[in-house]
PDB file of all heavy atoms in Angstrom:
ATOM      1  N   ALA A   1     -15.348  -0.103   2.473  1.00 58.00           N
ATOM      2  CA  ALA A   1     -14.638   0.801   3.375  1.00 58.00           C
ATOM      3  C   ALA A   1     -14.948   0.469   4.828  1.00 58.00           C
ATOM      4  O   ALA A   1     -14.069   0.478   5.690  1.00 58.00           O
ATOM      5  CB  ALA A   1     -15.008   2.250   3.062  1.00 58.00           C
ATOM      6  N   GLN A   2     -16.223   0.131   5.092  1.00 62.00           N
ATOM      7  CA  GLN A   2     -16.600  -0.243   6.459  1.00 62.00           C
ATOM      8  C   GLN A   2     -15.891  -1.509   6.903  1.00 62.00           C
ATOM      9  O   GLN A   2     -15.524  -1.665   8.067  1.00 62.00           O
ATOM     10  CB  GLN A   2     -18.120  -0.429   6.539  1.00 62.00           C
ATOM     11  CG  GLN A   2     -18.904   0.882   6.404  1.00 62.00           C
ATOM     12  CD  GLN A   2     -20.396   0.654   6.356  1.00 62.00           C
ATOM     13  OE1 GLN A   2     -20.852  -0.491   6.412  1.00 62.00           O
ATOM     14  NE2 GLN A   2     -21.161   1.716   6.237  1.00 62.00           N
ATOM     15  N   ASP A   3     -15.638  -2.421   5.950  1.00 80.00           N
ATOM     16  CA  ASP A   3     -14.991  -3.689   6.289  1.00 80.00           C
ATOM     17  C   ASP A   3     -13.545  -3.507   6.755  1.00 80.00           C
ATOM     18  O   ASP A   3     -13.023  -4.348   7.483  1.00 80.00           O
ATOM     19  CB  ASP A   3     -15.011  -4.635   5.080  1.00 80.00           C
ATOM     20  CG  ASP A   3     -16.403  -5.180   4.814  1.00 80.00           C
ATOM     21  OD1 ASP A   3     -17.142  -5.413   5.784  1.00 80.00           O
ATOM     22  OD2 ASP A   3     -16.742  -5.365   3.633  1.00 80.00           O
ATOM     23  N   VAL A   4     -12.864  -2.449   6.320  1.00 85.00           N
ATOM     24  CA  VAL A   4     -11.452  -2.278   6.665  1.00 85.00           C
ATOM     25  C   VAL A   4     -11.182  -1.037   7.517  1.00 85.00           C
ATOM     26  O   VAL A   4     -10.032  -0.796   7.887  1.00 85.00           O
ATOM     27  CB  VAL A   4     -10.570  -2.221   5.398  1.00 85.00           C
ATOM     28  CG1 VAL A   4     -10.675  -3.501   4.610  1.00 85.00           C
ATOM     29  CG2 VAL A   4     -10.920  -1.017   4.546  1.00 85.00           C
ATOM     30  N   ALA A   5     -12.214  -0.259   7.784  1.00 91.00           N
ATOM     31  CA  ALA A   5     -12.011   0.970   8.554  1.00 91.00           C
ATOM     32  C   ALA A   5     -11.316   0.671   9.883  1.00 91.00           C
ATOM     33  O   ALA A   5     -11.786  -0.150  10.676  1.00 91.00           O
ATOM     34  CB  ALA A   5     -13.342   1.664   8.801  1.00 91.00           C
ATOM     35  N   GLY A   6     -10.158   1.305  10.102  1.00 91.00           N
ATOM     36  CA  GLY A   6      -9.417   1.110  11.347  1.00 91.00           C
ATOM     37  C   GLY A   6      -8.584  -0.152  11.393  1.00 91.00           C
ATOM     38  O   GLY A   6      -7.860  -0.375  12.371  1.00 91.00           O
ATOM     39  N   LYS A   7      -8.654  -0.986  10.348  1.00 95.00           N
ATOM     40  CA  LYS A   7      -7.882  -2.229  10.331  1.00 95.00           C
ATOM     41  C   LYS A   7      -6.536  -2.025   9.634  1.00 95.00           C
ATOM     42  O   LYS A   7      -6.346  -1.083   8.876  1.00 95.00           O
ATOM     43  CB  LYS A   7      -8.669  -3.346   9.638  1.00 95.00           C
ATOM     44  CG  LYS A   7      -9.933  -3.752  10.386  1.00 95.00           C
ATOM     45  CD  LYS A   7     -10.656  -4.879   9.668  1.00 95.00           C
ATOM     46  CE  LYS A   7     -11.928  -5.284  10.420  1.00 95.00           C
ATOM     47  NZ  LYS A   7     -12.656  -6.362   9.708  1.00 95.00           N
ATOM     48  N   LYS A   8      -5.624  -2.938   9.880  1.00 97.00           N
ATOM     49  CA  LYS A   8      -4.282  -2.854   9.310  1.00 97.00           C
ATOM     50  C   LYS A   8      -4.185  -3.766   8.087  1.00 97.00           C
ATOM     51  O   LYS A   8      -4.584  -4.931   8.128  1.00 97.00           O
ATOM     52  CB  LYS A   8      -3.255  -3.271  10.371  1.00 97.00           C
ATOM     53  CG  LYS A   8      -1.815  -3.063   9.944  1.00 97.00           C
ATOM     54  CD  LYS A   8      -0.868  -3.142  11.135  1.00 97.00           C
ATOM     55  CE  LYS A   8      -0.919  -4.478  11.829  1.00 97.00           C
ATOM     56  NZ  LYS A   8       0.090  -4.600  12.895  1.00 97.00           N
ATOM     57  N   ILE A   9      -3.642  -3.215   7.007  1.00 98.00           N
ATOM     58  CA  ILE A   9      -3.417  -3.987   5.780  1.00 98.00           C
ATOM     59  C   ILE A   9      -1.945  -3.862   5.403  1.00 98.00           C
ATOM     60  O   ILE A   9      -1.359  -2.782   5.474  1.00 98.00           O
ATOM     61  CB  ILE A   9      -4.314  -3.495   4.632  1.00 98.00           C
ATOM     62  CG1 ILE A   9      -5.776  -3.841   4.939  1.00 98.00           C
ATOM     63  CG2 ILE A   9      -3.898  -4.119   3.302  1.00 98.00           C
ATOM     64  CD1 ILE A   9      -6.749  -3.421   3.878  1.00 98.00           C
ATOM     65  N   GLY A  10      -1.348  -4.975   5.009  1.00 98.00           N
ATOM     66  CA  GLY A  10       0.064  -4.983   4.668  1.00 98.00           C
ATOM     67  C   GLY A  10       0.318  -4.914   3.174  1.00 98.00           C
ATOM     68  O   GLY A  10      -0.435  -5.471   2.377  1.00 98.00           O
ATOM     69  N   ILE A  11       1.358  -4.179   2.806  1.00 98.00           N
ATOM     70  CA  ILE A  11       1.881  -4.202   1.439  1.00 98.00           C
ATOM     71  C   ILE A  11       3.312  -4.718   1.536  1.00 98.00           C
ATOM     72  O   ILE A  11       4.171  -4.054   2.122  1.00 98.00           O
ATOM     73  CB  ILE A  11       1.872  -2.806   0.784  1.00 98.00           C
ATOM     74  CG1 ILE A  11       0.447  -2.248   0.716  1.00 98.00           C
ATOM     75  CG2 ILE A  11       2.489  -2.877  -0.614  1.00 98.00           C
ATOM     76  CD1 ILE A  11       0.371  -0.831   0.165  1.00 98.00           C
ATOM     77  N   ALA A  12       3.552  -5.908   0.995  1.00 98.00           N
ATOM     78  CA  ALA A  12       4.877  -6.524   1.084  1.00 98.00           C
ATOM     79  C   ALA A  12       5.574  -6.380  -0.264  1.00 98.00           C
ATOM     80  O   ALA A  12       5.182  -7.009  -1.252  1.00 98.00           O
ATOM     81  CB  ALA A  12       4.754  -7.999   1.461  1.00 98.00           C
ATOM     82  N   ALA A  13       6.609  -5.536  -0.310  1.00 97.00           N
ATOM     83  CA  ALA A  13       7.369  -5.320  -1.543  1.00 97.00           C
ATOM     84  C   ALA A  13       8.647  -6.145  -1.509  1.00 97.00           C
ATOM     85  O   ALA A  13       9.347  -6.158  -0.492  1.00 97.00           O
ATOM     86  CB  ALA A  13       7.714  -3.842  -1.699  1.00 97.00           C
ATOM     87  N   ARG A  14       8.933  -6.818  -2.607  1.00 95.00           N
ATOM     88  CA  ARG A  14      10.202  -7.555  -2.664  1.00 95.00           C
ATOM     89  C   ARG A  14      11.380  -6.594  -2.629  1.00 95.00           C
ATOM     90  O   ARG A  14      12.401  -6.860  -2.016  1.00 95.00           O
ATOM     91  CB  ARG A  14      10.263  -8.425  -3.920  1.00 95.00           C
ATOM     92  CG  ARG A  14      11.459  -9.383  -3.948  1.00 95.00           C
ATOM     93  CD  ARG A  14      11.546 -10.132  -5.250  1.00 95.00           C
ATOM     94  NE  ARG A  14      11.808  -9.231  -6.377  1.00 95.00           N
ATOM     95  CZ  ARG A  14      11.717  -9.592  -7.657  1.00 95.00           C
ATOM     96  NH1 ARG A  14      11.340 -10.822  -7.961  1.00 95.00           N
ATOM     97  NH2 ARG A  14      11.983  -8.727  -8.624  1.00 95.00           N
ATOM     98  N   GLU A  15      11.215  -5.462  -3.337  1.00 93.00           N
ATOM     99  CA  GLU A  15      12.221  -4.394  -3.276  1.00 93.00           C
ATOM    100  C   GLU A  15      11.554  -3.074  -3.617  1.00 93.00           C
ATOM    101  O   GLU A  15      10.482  -3.056  -4.240  1.00 93.00           O
ATOM    102  CB  GLU A  15      13.395  -4.643  -4.224  1.00 93.00           C
ATOM    103  CG  GLU A  15      13.049  -4.569  -5.685  1.00 93.00           C
ATOM    104  CD  GLU A  15      12.944  -5.951  -6.343  1.00 93.00           C
ATOM    105  OE1 GLU A  15      13.048  -6.970  -5.636  1.00 93.00           O
ATOM    106  OE2 GLU A  15      12.736  -5.996  -7.554  1.00 93.00           O
ATOM    107  N   ILE A  16      12.173  -1.986  -3.212  1.00 94.00           N
ATOM    108  CA  ILE A  16      11.684  -0.644  -3.547  1.00 94.00           C
ATOM    109  C   ILE A  16      12.879   0.112  -4.110  1.00 94.00           C
ATOM    110  O   ILE A  16      13.588   0.818  -3.391  1.00 94.00           O
ATOM    111  CB  ILE A  16      11.099   0.076  -2.318  1.00 94.00           C
ATOM    112  CG1 ILE A  16      10.038  -0.797  -1.630  1.00 94.00           C
ATOM    113  CG2 ILE A  16      10.482   1.417  -2.737  1.00 94.00           C
ATOM    114  CD1 ILE A  16       9.495  -0.214  -0.327  1.00 94.00           C
ATOM    115  N   THR A  17      13.114  -0.044  -5.410  1.00 88.00           N
ATOM    116  CA  THR A  17      14.330   0.516  -6.004  1.00 88.00           C
ATOM    117  C   THR A  17      14.057   1.498  -7.138  1.00 88.00           C
ATOM    118  O   THR A  17      14.934   2.289  -7.468  1.00 88.00           O
ATOM    119  CB  THR A  17      15.220  -0.614  -6.566  1.00 88.00           C
ATOM    120  OG1 THR A  17      14.472  -1.359  -7.540  1.00 88.00           O
ATOM    121  CG2 THR A  17      15.674  -1.550  -5.453  1.00 88.00           C
ATOM    122  N   ASN A  18      12.868   1.457  -7.741  1.00 89.00           N
ATOM    123  CA  ASN A  18      12.614   2.337  -8.879  1.00 89.00           C
ATOM    124  C   ASN A  18      11.184   2.848  -8.864  1.00 89.00           C
ATOM    125  O   ASN A  18      10.387   2.524  -7.966  1.00 89.00           O
ATOM    126  CB  ASN A  18      12.941   1.631 -10.201  1.00 89.00           C
ATOM    127  CG  ASN A  18      12.152   0.348 -10.397  1.00 89.00           C
ATOM    128  OD1 ASN A  18      11.155   0.110  -9.734  1.00 89.00           O
ATOM    129  ND2 ASN A  18      12.589  -0.485 -11.322  1.00 89.00           N
ATOM    130  N   ASP A  19      10.839   3.659  -9.872  1.00 92.00           N
ATOM    131  CA  ASP A  19       9.499   4.230  -9.960  1.00 92.00           C
ATOM    132  C   ASP A  19       8.432   3.146 -10.011  1.00 92.00           C
ATOM    133  O   ASP A  19       7.339   3.307  -9.456  1.00 92.00           O
ATOM    134  CB  ASP A  19       9.383   5.107 -11.214  1.00 92.00           C
ATOM    135  CG  ASP A  19      10.208   6.383 -11.111  1.00 92.00           C
ATOM    136  OD1 ASP A  19      10.387   6.876  -9.988  1.00 92.00           O
ATOM    137  OD2 ASP A  19      10.665   6.888 -12.156  1.00 92.00           O
ATOM    138  N   TYR A  20       8.738   2.065 -10.689  1.00 93.00           N
ATOM    139  CA  TYR A  20       7.775   0.962 -10.813  1.00 93.00           C
ATOM    140  C   TYR A  20       7.374   0.445  -9.429  1.00 93.00           C
ATOM    141  O   TYR A  20       6.190   0.331  -9.121  1.00 93.00           O
ATOM    142  CB  TYR A  20       8.411  -0.147 -11.649  1.00 93.00           C
ATOM    143  CG  TYR A  20       7.529  -1.341 -11.885  1.00 93.00           C
ATOM    144  CD1 TYR A  20       6.538  -1.312 -12.846  1.00 93.00           C
ATOM    145  CD2 TYR A  20       7.708  -2.514 -11.153  1.00 93.00           C
ATOM    146  CE1 TYR A  20       5.733  -2.410 -13.079  1.00 93.00           C
ATOM    147  CE2 TYR A  20       6.912  -3.616 -11.376  1.00 93.00           C
ATOM    148  CZ  TYR A  20       5.925  -3.561 -12.342  1.00 93.00           C
ATOM    149  OH  TYR A  20       5.122  -4.652 -12.559  1.00 93.00           O
ATOM    150  N   ASN A  21       8.356   0.156  -8.596  1.00 94.00           N
ATOM    151  CA  ASN A  21       8.070  -0.328  -7.243  1.00 94.00           C
ATOM    152  C   ASN A  21       7.297   0.710  -6.434  1.00 94.00           C
ATOM    153  O   ASN A  21       6.271   0.416  -5.805  1.00 94.00           O
ATOM    154  CB  ASN A  21       9.360  -0.652  -6.494  1.00 94.00           C
ATOM    155  CG  ASN A  21      10.250  -1.644  -7.207  1.00 94.00           C
ATOM    156  OD1 ASN A  21      11.459  -1.456  -7.268  1.00 94.00           O
ATOM    157  ND2 ASN A  21       9.696  -2.706  -7.757  1.00 94.00           N
ATOM    158  N   ARG A  22       7.823   1.928  -6.438  1.00 95.00           N
ATOM    159  CA  ARG A  22       7.238   2.982  -5.607  1.00 95.00           C
ATOM    160  C   ARG A  22       5.801   3.322  -6.011  1.00 95.00           C
ATOM    161  O   ARG A  22       4.946   3.563  -5.156  1.00 95.00           O
ATOM    162  CB  ARG A  22       8.111   4.240  -5.674  1.00 95.00           C
ATOM    163  CG  ARG A  22       9.430   4.110  -4.923  1.00 95.00           C
ATOM    164  CD  ARG A  22      10.195   5.416  -4.911  1.00 95.00           C
ATOM    165  NE  ARG A  22      10.761   5.724  -6.224  1.00 95.00           N
ATOM    166  CZ  ARG A  22      11.968   5.343  -6.621  1.00 95.00           C
ATOM    167  NH1 ARG A  22      12.747   4.632  -5.816  1.00 95.00           N
ATOM    168  NH2 ARG A  22      12.420   5.670  -7.824  1.00 95.00           N
ATOM    169  N   ASP A  23       5.527   3.305  -7.316  1.00 96.00           N
ATOM    170  CA  ASP A  23       4.199   3.718  -7.766  1.00 96.00           C
ATOM    171  C   ASP A  23       3.146   2.643  -7.575  1.00 96.00           C
ATOM    172  O   ASP A  23       1.958   2.957  -7.422  1.00 96.00           O
ATOM    173  CB  ASP A  23       4.260   4.168  -9.224  1.00 96.00           C
ATOM    174  CG  ASP A  23       4.876   5.549  -9.368  1.00 96.00           C
ATOM    175  OD1 ASP A  23       5.128   6.187  -8.328  1.00 96.00           O
ATOM    176  OD2 ASP A  23       5.103   6.004 -10.500  1.00 96.00           O
ATOM    177  N   ILE A  24       3.522   1.376  -7.597  1.00 97.00           N
ATOM    178  CA  ILE A  24       2.566   0.320  -7.240  1.00 97.00           C
ATOM    179  C   ILE A  24       2.163   0.495  -5.783  1.00 97.00           C
ATOM    180  O   ILE A  24       0.980   0.447  -5.428  1.00 97.00           O
ATOM    181  CB  ILE A  24       3.163  -1.079  -7.475  1.00 97.00           C
ATOM    182  CG1 ILE A  24       3.285  -1.372  -8.966  1.00 97.00           C
ATOM    183  CG2 ILE A  24       2.280  -2.154  -6.820  1.00 97.00           C
ATOM    184  CD1 ILE A  24       3.913  -2.709  -9.290  1.00 97.00           C
ATOM    185  N   ILE A  25       3.148   0.716  -4.926  1.00 97.00           N
ATOM    186  CA  ILE A  25       2.869   0.924  -3.504  1.00 97.00           C
ATOM    187  C   ILE A  25       1.979   2.143  -3.309  1.00 97.00           C
ATOM    188  O   ILE A  25       0.987   2.100  -2.570  1.00 97.00           O
ATOM    189  CB  ILE A  25       4.183   1.076  -2.712  1.00 97.00           C
ATOM    190  CG1 ILE A  25       4.969  -0.232  -2.729  1.00 97.00           C
ATOM    191  CG2 ILE A  25       3.905   1.509  -1.270  1.00 97.00           C
ATOM    192  CD1 ILE A  25       6.389  -0.114  -2.208  1.00 97.00           C
ATOM    193  N   ALA A  26       2.328   3.246  -3.986  1.00 97.00           N
ATOM    194  CA  ALA A  26       1.563   4.481  -3.827  1.00 97.00           C
ATOM    195  C   ALA A  26       0.117   4.303  -4.275  1.00 97.00           C
ATOM    196  O   ALA A  26      -0.815   4.787  -3.623  1.00 97.00           O
ATOM    197  CB  ALA A  26       2.225   5.611  -4.608  1.00 97.00           C
ATOM    198  N   GLY A  27      -0.089   3.596  -5.401  1.00 97.00           N
ATOM    199  CA  GLY A  27      -1.440   3.380  -5.897  1.00 97.00           C
ATOM    200  C   GLY A  27      -2.273   2.548  -4.938  1.00 97.00           C
ATOM    201  O   GLY A  27      -3.441   2.856  -4.680  1.00 97.00           O
ATOM    202  N   ALA A  28      -1.674   1.490  -4.396  1.00 97.00           N
ATOM    203  CA  ALA A  28      -2.386   0.638  -3.438  1.00 97.00           C
ATOM    204  C   ALA A  28      -2.639   1.379  -2.130  1.00 97.00           C
ATOM    205  O   ALA A  28      -3.739   1.328  -1.567  1.00 97.00           O
ATOM    206  CB  ALA A  28      -1.594  -0.638  -3.184  1.00 97.00           C
ATOM    207  N   GLU A  29      -1.620   2.080  -1.657  1.00 97.00           N
ATOM    208  CA  GLU A  29      -1.727   2.780  -0.373  1.00 97.00           C
ATOM    209  C   GLU A  29      -2.829   3.836  -0.409  1.00 97.00           C
ATOM    210  O   GLU A  29      -3.612   3.970   0.535  1.00 97.00           O
ATOM    211  CB  GLU A  29      -0.379   3.423  -0.047  1.00 97.00           C
ATOM    212  CG  GLU A  29      -0.212   3.816   1.399  1.00 97.00           C
ATOM    213  CD  GLU A  29       1.234   4.162   1.728  1.00 97.00           C
ATOM    214  OE1 GLU A  29       2.016   4.453   0.792  1.00 97.00           O
ATOM    215  OE2 GLU A  29       1.581   4.141   2.915  1.00 97.00           O
ATOM    216  N   LYS A  30      -2.904   4.565  -1.500  1.00 97.00           N
ATOM    217  CA  LYS A  30      -3.923   5.617  -1.622  1.00 97.00           C
ATOM    218  C   LYS A  30      -5.328   5.032  -1.545  1.00 97.00           C
ATOM    219  O   LYS A  30      -6.203   5.553  -0.830  1.00 97.00           O
ATOM    220  CB  LYS A  30      -3.729   6.365  -2.939  1.00 97.00           C
ATOM    221  CG  LYS A  30      -4.708   7.515  -3.145  1.00 97.00           C
ATOM    222  CD  LYS A  30      -4.419   8.243  -4.457  1.00 97.00           C
ATOM    223  CE  LYS A  30      -5.402   9.401  -4.668  1.00 97.00           C
ATOM    224  NZ  LYS A  30      -5.125  10.092  -5.957  1.00 97.00           N
ATOM    225  N   ALA A  31      -5.557   3.932  -2.272  1.00 97.00           N
ATOM    226  CA  ALA A  31      -6.881   3.309  -2.285  1.00 97.00           C
ATOM    227  C   ALA A  31      -7.231   2.713  -0.928  1.00 97.00           C
ATOM    228  O   ALA A  31      -8.374   2.819  -0.472  1.00 97.00           O
ATOM    229  CB  ALA A  31      -6.932   2.232  -3.367  1.00 97.00           C
ATOM    230  N   LEU A  32      -6.267   2.097  -0.274  1.00 97.00           N
ATOM    231  CA  LEU A  32      -6.523   1.464   1.019  1.00 97.00           C
ATOM    232  C   LEU A  32      -6.775   2.501   2.117  1.00 97.00           C
ATOM    233  O   LEU A  32      -7.666   2.341   2.955  1.00 97.00           O
ATOM    234  CB  LEU A  32      -5.350   0.566   1.404  1.00 97.00           C
ATOM    235  CG  LEU A  32      -5.151  -0.666   0.493  1.00 97.00           C
ATOM    236  CD1 LEU A  32      -3.830  -1.346   0.800  1.00 97.00           C
ATOM    237  CD2 LEU A  32      -6.313  -1.635   0.639  1.00 97.00           C
ATOM    238  N   LYS A  33      -5.987   3.568   2.094  1.00 96.00           N
ATOM    239  CA  LYS A  33      -6.190   4.622   3.094  1.00 96.00           C
ATOM    240  C   LYS A  33      -7.523   5.336   2.883  1.00 96.00           C
ATOM    241  O   LYS A  33      -8.177   5.749   3.844  1.00 96.00           O
ATOM    242  CB  LYS A  33      -5.031   5.610   3.052  1.00 96.00           C
ATOM    243  CG  LYS A  33      -3.751   5.069   3.664  1.00 96.00           C
ATOM    244  CD  LYS A  33      -2.647   6.116   3.703  1.00 96.00           C
ATOM    245  CE  LYS A  33      -1.418   5.600   4.437  1.00 96.00           C
ATOM    246  NZ  LYS A  33      -0.323   6.604   4.458  1.00 96.00           N
ATOM    247  N   ALA A  34      -7.936   5.471   1.617  1.00 96.00           N
ATOM    248  CA  ALA A  34      -9.230   6.083   1.328  1.00 96.00           C
ATOM    249  C   ALA A  34     -10.373   5.253   1.900  1.00 96.00           C
ATOM    250  O   ALA A  34     -11.439   5.781   2.225  1.00 96.00           O
ATOM    251  CB  ALA A  34      -9.403   6.248  -0.184  1.00 96.00           C
ATOM    252  N   ALA A  35     -10.126   3.942   2.030  1.00 96.00           N
ATOM    253  CA  ALA A  35     -11.134   3.053   2.622  1.00 96.00           C
ATOM    254  C   ALA A  35     -11.056   3.020   4.143  1.00 96.00           C
ATOM    255  O   ALA A  35     -11.822   2.298   4.786  1.00 96.00           O
ATOM    256  CB  ALA A  35     -10.963   1.640   2.062  1.00 96.00           C
ATOM    257  N   GLY A  36     -10.109   3.776   4.711  1.00 96.00           N
ATOM    258  CA  GLY A  36     -10.011   3.866   6.163  1.00 96.00           C
ATOM    259  C   GLY A  36      -9.036   2.910   6.807  1.00 96.00           C
ATOM    260  O   GLY A  36      -8.970   2.811   8.039  1.00 96.00           O
ATOM    261  N   ALA A  37      -8.247   2.196   5.983  1.00 96.00           N
ATOM    262  CA  ALA A  37      -7.313   1.210   6.528  1.00 96.00           C
ATOM    263  C   ALA A  37      -6.007   1.875   6.965  1.00 96.00           C
ATOM    264  O   ALA A  37      -5.604   2.909   6.430  1.00 96.00           O
ATOM    265  CB  ALA A  37      -7.015   0.137   5.493  1.00 96.00           C
ATOM    266  N   GLU A  38      -5.346   1.225   7.912  1.00 97.00           N
ATOM    267  CA  GLU A  38      -3.975   1.588   8.270  1.00 97.00           C
ATOM    268  C   GLU A  38      -3.066   0.708   7.419  1.00 97.00           C
ATOM    269  O   GLU A  38      -3.247  -0.504   7.372  1.00 97.00           O
ATOM    270  CB  GLU A  38      -3.726   1.335   9.756  1.00 97.00           C
ATOM    271  CG  GLU A  38      -2.288   1.566  10.188  1.00 97.00           C
ATOM    272  CD  GLU A  38      -2.007   1.076  11.599  1.00 97.00           C
ATOM    273  OE1 GLU A  38      -2.965   0.761  12.334  1.00 97.00           O
ATOM    274  OE2 GLU A  38      -0.812   0.961  11.950  1.00 97.00           O
ATOM    275  N   VAL A  39      -2.080   1.309   6.750  1.00 97.00           N
ATOM    276  CA  VAL A  39      -1.246   0.564   5.814  1.00 97.00           C
ATOM    277  C   VAL A  39       0.173   0.410   6.356  1.00 97.00           C
ATOM    278  O   VAL A  39       0.780   1.387   6.800  1.00 97.00           O
ATOM    279  CB  VAL A  39      -1.202   1.259   4.434  1.00 97.00           C
ATOM    280  CG1 VAL A  39      -0.308   0.477   3.470  1.00 97.00           C
ATOM    281  CG2 VAL A  39      -2.615   1.390   3.857  1.00 97.00           C
ATOM    282  N   VAL A  40       0.678  -0.826   6.313  1.00 97.00           N
ATOM    283  CA  VAL A  40       2.046  -1.127   6.726  1.00 97.00           C
ATOM    284  C   VAL A  40       2.796  -1.651   5.505  1.00 97.00           C
ATOM    285  O   VAL A  40       2.350  -2.601   4.853  1.00 97.00           O
ATOM    286  CB  VAL A  40       2.080  -2.182   7.849  1.00 97.00           C
ATOM    287  CG1 VAL A  40       3.524  -2.517   8.221  1.00 97.00           C
ATOM    288  CG2 VAL A  40       1.313  -1.705   9.061  1.00 97.00           C
ATOM    289  N   VAL A  41       3.925  -1.023   5.172  1.00 98.00           N
ATOM    290  CA  VAL A  41       4.714  -1.419   4.001  1.00 98.00           C
ATOM    291  C   VAL A  41       6.015  -2.064   4.449  1.00 98.00           C
ATOM    292  O   VAL A  41       6.715  -1.530   5.312  1.00 98.00           O
ATOM    293  CB  VAL A  41       5.026  -0.201   3.101  1.00 98.00           C
ATOM    294  CG1 VAL A  41       5.867  -0.629   1.893  1.00 98.00           C
ATOM    295  CG2 VAL A  41       3.742   0.480   2.645  1.00 98.00           C
TER     296      VAL A  41
END
């Protein structure tokens, strides 16, 4: 968490069209934000 606190991390989705796409993003985003990162999708 200290390594990424305040840093920007990208999530690059090929498409966001269904639950599968959205939930992968949501799962990653939640974990990254919990570590203090800023997330860009």
Side-chain angles (χ1 to χ4, degrees):
Q2 290 175 359
D3 288 325
V4 299
K7 295 181 180 179
K8 187 165 60 174
I9 291 181
I11 300 176
R14 189 185 65 191
E15 67 256 5
I16 307 175
T17 58
N18 58 17
D19 291 330
Y20 181 79
N21 304 136
R22 288 185 288 270
D23 284 353
I24 289 178
I25 294 169
E29 197 168 20
K30 182 178 180 181
L32 294 170
K33 286 184 175 179
E38 175 190 348
V39 179
V40 178
V41 179

